[in-house]
Structure formats: structure tokens, C-alpha cells
Amino acid sequence: MRNLAQFSDEMLLEALQRDEEAAFDEIYYRYWALLCGIAYKRVQSREVAEEMVQELFTTFWLNRRKLQVHTSLKAYLSASVRYMVLRYFQQEMAMQTYRNHMQAASTPVDSSTEAVIQARDLHARLEQALTQLPRKCRQVYELSRKEYKSNREIAETLNISEKTVENQLTKALRILRLNLKDIVALFF
């Protein structure tokens, strides 16, 4: 086995595209700490930062033959992790907006009969829309929104990855938003 520590990034990329796992290992060890630092600086969570970098390297390996790095490898990986951070914050903002809307919708503004009826109608429509979700999507949604489990807890419970949990939640919210947009518009 060759010692790749002395290889330049360009040489490592060439070896990586030839499916040399040792080249991937060298890139991984060379940039892991730097990328975790970049992610941590922005998300302020070591766990989230490490998950992002792990996901980045997984994608990097899976797409190794298609990679076209036009800058330095360091710049390419740094930019990739910054895009992941942006996507993370976009997802977090969307989830917070949804939580705020759901909290506002579930908190009775007044105790009039009309408001109670509207809340019941909305709840019934939500339950009906939930039955139309695909099974896995519904499971993830209910564990998240009804049992208040974190993505990690859901992933462990269902024996799936956290990324799959995020994807299923995003899918569920998109479907529910589409199914409930007419009735939610009446409330606002």
C-alpha cells in the first residue's frame, strides 16, 4: 500500500476517481477537522456539524467518478460544507415556521362556538390528510409532531437514517401543506 500523505490533492483526486479507497481515506483524514470546524462555527452544534461532514464525505465517495473540482480540493470541500449549512438553516426555518403556524392554529384565540368548530374542522381535516400520507411518512410525522421525538430518536426507533427522517418529514409537510392550503387560508 502506498503512503498517500505526500500526495497533492490533485493526485489524490485522480486516485479517488480510480476507486482507490486509500485516496479517499487520506482526503477524509486531511480535511475532516477543518470541515467540522467550518460547520461548527455556523451551527454551534458539534453533533450536527459532524453529521454534515459525514454526509458530505458519503456523497463525495458516492460521486467520486463524476467529480469535477475546478478549484482546490480544500476550497471545493469548504464550499460544499457551507452549502450544507445553508440548507440546514433553510430546513430549520421552514420547520420553525410550520411549528409556529401549528401552534397558532391549535391555540384557541377566543372561546366562541365558531372558533371551537373551526378548530375541530381543522383538526379533522389534518387527521384525514394524515391518513393519505404514505405509511413511512405518516409514521415519521406522528413520531415527530405527536410524540415530540427528535430526528435522531425517530431514526433509532424506525431503524432508518436521520437524513431519511428529514426527507420523510419534508415530504409529509409538503403534502399536508398542499392538502390543507384551502382551509388554512380561511383561518388567516
Side-chain angles (χ1 to χ4, degrees):
M1 174 158 275
R2 300 184 289 174
N3 179 5
L4 302 178
Q6 302 302 319
F7 276 40
S8 69
D9 288 348
E10 293 78 18
M11 293 169 67
L12 287 173
L13 277 171
E14 290 173 11
L16 179 69
Q17 290 177 333
R18 290 189 307 267
D19 295 335
E20 291 186 32
E21 288 183 35
F24 175 79
D25 292 343
E26 179 60 30
I27 293 169
Y28 183 90
Y29 291 116
R30 193 176 285 185
Y31 291 108
W32 171 262
L34 171 73
L35 298 174
C36 281
I38 291 170
Y40 178 78
K41 183 177 168 183
R42 288 163 177 81
V43 299
Q44 295 297 305
S45 167
R46 181 182 175 134
E47 182 178 288
V48 172
E50 288 177 356
E51 287 175 15
M52 282 182 186
V53 174
Q54 189 63 40
E55 182 182 335
L56 170 64
F57 276 114
T58 300
T59 304
F60 189 72
W61 173 255
L62 293 173
N63 295 316
R64 66 191 174 277
R65 293 187 191 114
K66 299 183 274 185
L67 284 176
Q68 295 182 0
V69 178
H70 301 292
T71 59
S72 71
L73 180 59
K74 180 179 178 180
Y76 176 86
L77 293 171
S78 298
S80 296
V81 82
R82 283 193 294 274
Y83 284 122
M84 292 179 83
V85 167
L86 286 173
R87 193 170 60 238
Y88 168 80
F89 282 121
Q90 288 172 338
Q91 290 172 342
E92 286 297 309
M93 286 176 25
M95 293 298 285
Q96 187 59 45
T97 300
Y98 173 77
R99 284 186 204 111
N100 291 344
H101 284 299
M102 289 306 290
Q103 184 177 10
S106 66
T107 304
V109 177
D110 68 282
S111 60
S112 73
T113 305
E114 183 179 343
V116 171
I117 291 170
Q118 286 178 338
R120 282 186 194 148
D121 286 347
L122 179 60
H123 182 72
R125 287 282 302 272
L126 176 61
E127 290 300 318
Q128 178 189 15
L130 285 174
T131 63
Q132 296 174 3
L133 290 176
R135 184 184 60 80
K136 185 66 80 175
C137 227
R138 184 174 55 248
Q139 274 184 309
V140 169
Y141 177 87
E142 288 176 345
L143 287 171
S144 174
R145 298 303 188 268
K146 292 183 177 181
E147 296 183 27
Y148 306 104
K149 292 187 181 262
S150 69
N151 288 0
R152 169 162 276 152
E153 292 170 324
I154 296 168
E156 290 171 0
T157 301
L158 298 178
N159 198 24
I160 57 178
S161 72
E162 284 187 61
K163 187 66 178 169
T164 301
V165 170
E166 291 173 17
N167 290 340
Q168 290 295 325
L169 273 176
T170 301
K171 180 179 179 181
L173 295 176
R174 184 177 57 244
I175 292 170
L176 291 174
R177 194 176 307 117
L178 288 172
N179 286 340
L180 299 174
K181 70 179 176 184
D182 59 328
I183 196 165
V184 172
L186 294 175
F187 285 94
F188 301 104

